[in-house]
Amino acid sequence: LQNENLKQHDTQSQIKEGDTACLSYTGRYNGSSFRNSDVKGLVITLGNGSIDENFEKQILGHKPEEIFDVKMTLPDNYSDNFVAGKEVTFNVQVEYILKSVEIPNVVTDDFIQQHTKYSSLAQYKRHIKTKAKLQTEQTNRKKAIEVLLKHTKVKKYPNKELKEIENILIVNDNSNALYSGVSESEYKNNMGYKTEEDYNAHIKALAQEQLKERLAVDAIAKANALEVPNTFTEKEEAKLARESGFSTVEEMKAKMVRNEIRLTIKKFYVADYLLKHSK
């Protein structure tokens, strides 16, 4: 429970520096709204520089659910030229302050119901045991594949497959550059690659690493006649989603193409085989 870092909503205390709070506000200049002036449910920590210092000072001392005005002068480089350098008024409400939950020496069903999504202590314990089993399985599978790759030597990389992986890696980097608002060359430079040759060598090494794993897994599956199905049960997909850090199968499918999902599950089959039959 301590590892869960449980939080509760405090709606009674005065907000002070260091608190993490949820705010909602609307900003106006001469009665008109402006860009980024209406915000709902903004979670901030006071004192860490995440919001304007003058804005922050005027929040201190207020209690959640109070509604009050904060006046401040926006910076000259504010994104909306209409109000850049002007004094504006924000109508603010602190929704709640996030407070850490103290774990009692004796944990009851009531405590579990109040602070987790589980209905009883027994149900929460089953969740913890399942989680621990899953983590152990993940660790063992990862180690099995690491040992497999340590003892694998690729005599020749299939050029077509290698180029496909390289192209995917480059496209991903270009997308990240676009998302970051920098040019592709700036992005590569920020990654530490001073020349195009250095970057290409980096991409080739990553592609070879990924392809080596794929070739080794395929070889083990083929040599031992492991039957990896083309389609997977809902249970297998749900398990993969959990192991891959996704909240739902739908989220996983939105972020992983079907071929990636199949390759990952195939890797699980091979890792389980190695764990079962290795000496």
Side-chain angles (χ1 to χ4, degrees):
L1 281 169
Q2 288 172 341
N3 289 338
E4 299 272 9
N5 192 24
L6 299 176
K7 301 289 186 181
Q8 61 186 354
H9 293 181
D10 179 358
T11 57
Q12 303 299 319
S13 303
Q14 289 184 334
I15 192 167
K16 63 184 186 302
E17 190 169 334
D19 281 345
T20 297
C22 178
L23 309 177
S24 293
Y25 57 80
T26 59
R28 295 292 181 268
Y29 173 69
N30 287 341
S32 299
S33 63
F34 51 91
R35 193 180 302 165
N36 300 326
S37 63
D38 294 327
V39 174
K40 299 290 184 185
L42 175 66
V43 178
I44 60 165
T45 298
L46 279 77
N48 69 352
S50 59
I51 60 171
D52 182 86
E53 185 179 350
N54 188 30
F55 189 103
E56 183 177 292
K57 284 179 179 178
Q58 295 179 67
I59 297 172
L60 297 173
H62 286 283
K63 289 185 176 182
E65 301 180 3
E66 286 183 20
I67 298 175
F68 53 95
D69 286 342
V70 168
K71 292 185 177 182
M72 62 173 292
T73 300
L74 295 175
D76 292 333
N77 61 351
Y78 190 74
S79 57
D80 189 340
N81 292 332
F82 173 63
V83 290
K86 305 286 178 42
E87 185 181 90
V88 298
T89 300
F90 291 96
N91 188 247
V92 181
Q93 179 174 351
V94 179
E95 306 287 349
Y96 55 80
I97 303 169
L98 275 178
K99 296 287 187 182
S100 296
V101 175
E102 186 176 343
I103 311 299
N105 291 327
V106 178
V107 179
T108 62
D109 286 346
D110 286 342
F111 181 87
I112 293 296
Q113 290 170 12
Q114 184 179 354
H115 297 292
T116 75
K117 62 181 180 181
Y118 301 95
S119 59
S120 67
L121 180 58
Q123 188 186 45
Y124 183 74
K125 284 183 176 180
R126 287 195 294 272
H127 154 69
I128 291 298
K129 287 182 179 179
T130 301
K131 184 178 178 181
K133 182 180 178 181
L134 184 63
Q135 288 175 337
T136 301
E137 192 174 72
Q138 283 179 291
T139 300
N140 289 342
R141 280 175 169 172
K142 183 179 179 182
K143 288 182 177 178
I145 296 298
E146 285 175 355
V147 173
L148 170 64
L149 295 179
K150 183 179 179 182
H151 293 278
T152 298
K153 184 177 180 179
V154 180
K155 293 182 179 179
K156 185 178 181 181
Y157 288 96
N159 190 57
K160 182 180 177 182
E161 292 180 51
L162 190 64
K163 288 298 180 185
E164 286 176 354
I165 297 174
E166 287 178 3
N167 289 336
I168 291 171
L169 291 171
I170 292 170
V171 168
N172 287 341
D173 279 348
N174 291 344
S175 297
N176 289 335
L178 182 64
Y179 180 79
S180 302
V182 297
S183 67
E184 293 171 11
S185 59
E186 285 178 307
Y187 184 79
K188 293 172 187 176
N189 189 63
N190 292 339
M191 289 173 65
Y193 303 103
K194 304 302 181 184
T195 66
E196 194 67 21
E197 289 74 20
D198 288 343
Y199 175 73
N200 290 337
H202 154 74
I203 289 295
K204 185 175 182 179
L206 281 181
Q208 287 180 341
E209 187 179 315
Q210 290 186 20
L211 187 52
K212 178 181 179 180
E213 180 180 87
R214 191 181 301 178
L215 293 170
V217 166
D218 284 344
I220 294 293
K222 183 177 180 180
N224 297 282
L226 300 182
E227 295 186 11
V228 183
N230 288 318
T231 58
F232 305 100
T233 65
E234 290 182 2
K235 185 178 180 181
E236 285 175 316
E237 288 186 335
K239 187 175 182 180
L240 174 61
R242 290 196 303 271
E243 292 190 0
S244 303
F246 297 108
S247 302
T248 63
V249 172
E250 288 70 28
E251 183 187 358
M252 176 184 72
K253 288 181 175 179
K255 295 184 178 179
M256 290 177 70
V257 297
R258 178 150 191 82
N259 191 44
E260 287 180 308
I261 295 174
R262 189 175 187 281
L263 287 171
T264 303
I265 294 181
K266 190 176 187 178
K267 185 166 71 173
F268 289 170
Y269 271 67
V270 168
D272 289 342
Y273 176 86
L274 293 172
L275 289 166
K276 182 177 179 181
H277 296 282
S278 59
K279 296 180 181 179

